Amino acid sequence: MQRPLILVTNDDGITAPGIRNLVEFMNEIGEVVVVAPNSPQSGQGHAITINQTLTFEEINLEGPQKDFSLSGTPVDCVKFALDKILPRRPDLVVSGINHGANSSINVIYSGTMSAAVEAGVEGLQAIGFSLLDFSWDADFLQAKEQIQRIVKKVLENPLPKGVVLNVNIPKLNKEEIKGIKVCKQADAKWEENFDERINPHGKKYYWLTGYFNNMDKSEDADETALSEGYISVVPVKFDLTAYEYMHDLKGLLE
Amino acid sequence: MQRPLILVTNDDGITAPGIRNLVEFMNEIGEVVVVAPNSPQSGQGHAITINQTLTFEEINLEGPQKDFSLSGTPVDCVKFALDKILPRRPDLVVSGINHGANSSINVIYSGTMSAAVEAGVEGLQAIGFSLLDFSWDADFLQAKEQIQRIVKKVLENPLPKGVVLNVNIPKLNKEEIKGIKVCKQADAKWEENFDERINPHGKKYYWLTGYFNNMDKSEDADETALSEGYISVVPVKFDLTAYEYMHDLKGLLE
């Protein structure tokens, strides 16, 4: 049987430790092609590059996989891989491992998850992985077996059309991780707080900062599962229609 | 009674005809503050600016509103307006009028809609408006009355928590527009087709191009309504959890 073809991408850039670990884990499961940004793309959301051009190059990194770096966003990487690089449609697209959480509302800001969502839009199986540790020296090995297990399950039991997975891994030792919990996206938000500075010419400028405000303590929220030591898995869809409100809205507007 | 405070933003930039028309329409309804990007931001999706700084300036444009241009994305504009510019929480955030469609899957790539979604995340009432005409000379006046009607309805009957509106307007004369239809997001996608070129130094580069593929002919899809001459209104939510698949996924992974 042909080994599954796995496309790997991320938003931290092709040389980030998170993606290099994910590539190693995937090399044990299938034939791996990496198409990832040539520079960090955090917070890019579902951005695509339409007013600039793109370039790519094959680079030589350790391992049996092929590596291509692209001058675009994570979503660009998925589109470009499908159109110009991959020999056939991949059996799976994995994105990450992100350095930092993409739980709750972060799914909409996340380049990591946007790559997975784009793959879903393309009709492909897709999973985004994130570790709750921003450090470049983070330990990604702790969750190797769980990541490989999730990937194999999805390869054997394809997700329904229109659904991709958002997997977040707590910053814990392997022994401390309690297992996997399927969750909903917690109701949470970032409270923005722009940091004002003065440049050498006397002009004000601002850094976007903020703090995370989790309003959702429910048992099945991803933030709850993570805080309890579980790996959270949220099935994510990209039909954003609020079907439950259509009837009332018809009464209001039609 | 105090006039409603309306924040206006967009993704085509603060001087685009679409936003200037929307500002005029809103000036007749409330007190208007504009915080919009100082340059075009199409395709920015839910991008935020975290590795660069932001600057803003008040600019003088015709009309009673206040205008502020920001060096960031549409989502940055909403966050910055709330934290640094607005005198109080706005009663409504409107984004657009976008030059071009944001129907169906375009909602996830759209800076216009991401600004509306960000406002929704902040717990605000929000609507994104788009006209199916890319031209800078597009006629935005045709839908003035309908836009004002939708805005007034939402001000009088607030949307439920977690829901914002995605309004698309067909490129038709006022007399040809059949009315408003509440719709679901059509199941459609862009088929990417990167255009390969050679630069003067012999290196390949690429432009992202593609064509829109609507797979959804159902009566209640926004693409259908638009093709029939209706203004489409999709209630959009940002809890992306695929609740209907959680049970099966638990069986697979837990």
Side-chain angles (χ1 to χ4, degrees), chain A residues 228-241:
Chain A
E228 291 174 349
Y230 290 91
I231 293 171
S232 68
V233 181
V234 177
V236 167
K237 62 181 183 178
F238 39 87
D239 175 355
L240 309 188
T241 311

Side-chain angles (χ1 to χ4, degrees), chain A residues 15 20-21 31 51 64-65 68 118 126 134 169 171 195 224 243 254:
Chain A
T15 58
R20 300 327 308 173
N21 274 275
E31 179 190 346
N51 292 321
Q65 78 287 345
F68 300 88
E118 179 64 27
F134 281 103
I169 302 159
K171 184 184 173 180
D195 184 6
T224 308
Y243 287 98
E254 283 186 358

Side-chain angles (χ1 to χ4, degrees), chain A residues 130-132 142 168-172 177 225-226 229-232:
Chain A
S130 304
L131 177 66
L132 274 62
Q142 42 145 323
N168 280 269
I169 302 159
K171 184 184 173 180
L172 294 172
I177 293 179
L226 288 162
Y230 290 91
I231 293 171
S232 68

Side-chain angles (χ1 to χ4, degrees), chain B residues 10 22 29 35-36 50 65 75 79 86 94 102 115 123 138 152 155 165-166 172 190 197-198 206 223 226 231-232 251:
Chain B
N10 77 341
L22 187 56
I29 295 176
V35 183
I50 48 183
Q65 77 288 343
V75 173
K79 287 180 170 288
L86 293 173
V94 291
N102 280 318
K152 286 175 184 169
L155 284 169
L165 298 187
N166 182 15
L172 294 172
W190 286 92
R197 312 250 172 131
I198 309 284
Y206 299 85
E223 292 299 325
L226 289 163
I231 292 172
S232 68

Side-chain angles (χ1 to χ4, degrees), chain B:
Chain B
M1 203 186 95
Q2 199 176 32
R3 298 184 82 202
L5 177 62
I6 303 176
L7 172 65
V8 183
T9 191
N10 77 341
D11 77 349
D12 291 316
I14 194 162
T15 58
I19 192 171
R20 301 327 309 176
N21 275 275
L22 187 56
V23 167
E24 279 184 40
F25 304 166
M26 294 305 104
N27 279 336
E28 296 176 9
I29 295 176
E31 179 191 346
V32 174
V33 177
V34 181
V35 183
N38 64 6
S39 63
Q41 300 282 324
S42 291
Q44 279 291 303
H46 214 91
I48 50 176
T49 303
I50 48 183
N51 291 321
Q52 282 184 290
T53 60
L54 297 170
T55 58
F56 82 104
E57 54 186 340
E58 185 166 4
I59 58 178
N60 282 314
L61 296 171
E62 208 174 325
Q65 77 288 343
K66 287 179 179 290
D67 284 285
F68 300 89
S69 80
L70 185 79
S71 64
T73 67
V75 173
D76 292 332
C77 288
V78 173
K79 287 180 170 288
F80 195 83
L82 291 175
D83 190 37
K84 293 293 179 197
I85 295 180
L86 293 173
R88 61 183 190 276
R89 273 173 72 82
D91 300 291
L92 178 68
V93 179
V94 291
S95 181
I97 304 169
N98 191 61
H99 292 245
N102 280 318
S103 45
S104 74
I105 194 66
N106 295 303
V107 67
I108 68 170
Y109 303 103
S110 159
T112 302
M113 278 310 298
S114 292
V117 165
E118 179 64 25
V121 172
E122 301 275 0
L124 300 167
Q125 299 290 309
I127 313 170
F129 292 100
S130 305
L131 177 66
L132 274 63
D133 187 347
F134 281 102
S135 167
W136 219 242
D137 299 324
D139 175 19
F140 292 96
L141 279 177
Q142 42 144 325
K144 175 180 174 178
E145 283 162 39
Q146 297 277 25
I147 288 171
Q148 290 185 329
R149 180 171 167 268
I150 293 169
V151 162
K152 286 175 184 169
K153 287 280 186 186
V154 167
L155 284 169
E156 288 159 13
N157 307 274
L159 304 168
K161 183 176 182 299
V163 174
V164 301
L165 298 187
N166 182 15
V167 178
N168 280 270
I169 302 158
K171 184 183 173 180
L172 294 172
N173 295 329
K174 187 177 161 184
E175 297 71 29
E176 294 168 322
I177 293 179
K178 288 191 186 152
I180 291 173
K181 260 202 183 169
V182 174
C183 303
K184 68 170 189 181
Q185 173 185 323
D187 180 18
K189 70 177 287 271
W190 286 92
E191 308 280 355
E192 61 277 338
N193 187 1
F194 285 87
D195 184 6
E196 184 178 298
R197 312 250 172 131
I198 309 284
N199 78 10
H201 315 292
K203 189 169 160 58
K204 287 178 187 170
Y205 67 98
Y206 299 85
W207 288 101
L208 172 56
T209 70
Y211 64 93
F212 187 67
N213 182 4
N214 178 21
M215 291 94 76
D216 191 346
K217 305 298 181 195
S218 57
E219 187 55 41
D220 60 346
D222 55 1
E223 292 299 325
T224 307
L226 289 163
S227 70
E228 290 173 350
Y230 289 91
I231 292 172
S232 68
V233 181
V234 177
V236 166
K237 62 181 184 179
F238 38 87
D239 175 356
L240 310 187
T241 311
Y243 288 97
E244 60 279 15
Y245 184 57
M246 283 179 73
H247 180 265
D248 285 358
L249 194 59
K250 280 177 196 280
L252 192 65
L253 293 181
E254 284 188 357

Side-chain angles (χ1 to χ4, degrees), chain A residues 135-154:
Chain A
S135 166
W136 218 242
D137 299 324
D139 175 19
F140 291 97
L141 279 177
Q142 42 145 323
K144 175 179 174 180
E145 283 163 37
Q146 296 278 27
I147 288 172
Q148 289 185 331
R149 179 170 167 268
I150 293 169
V151 163
K152 285 175 185 168
K153 287 280 186 186
V154 168

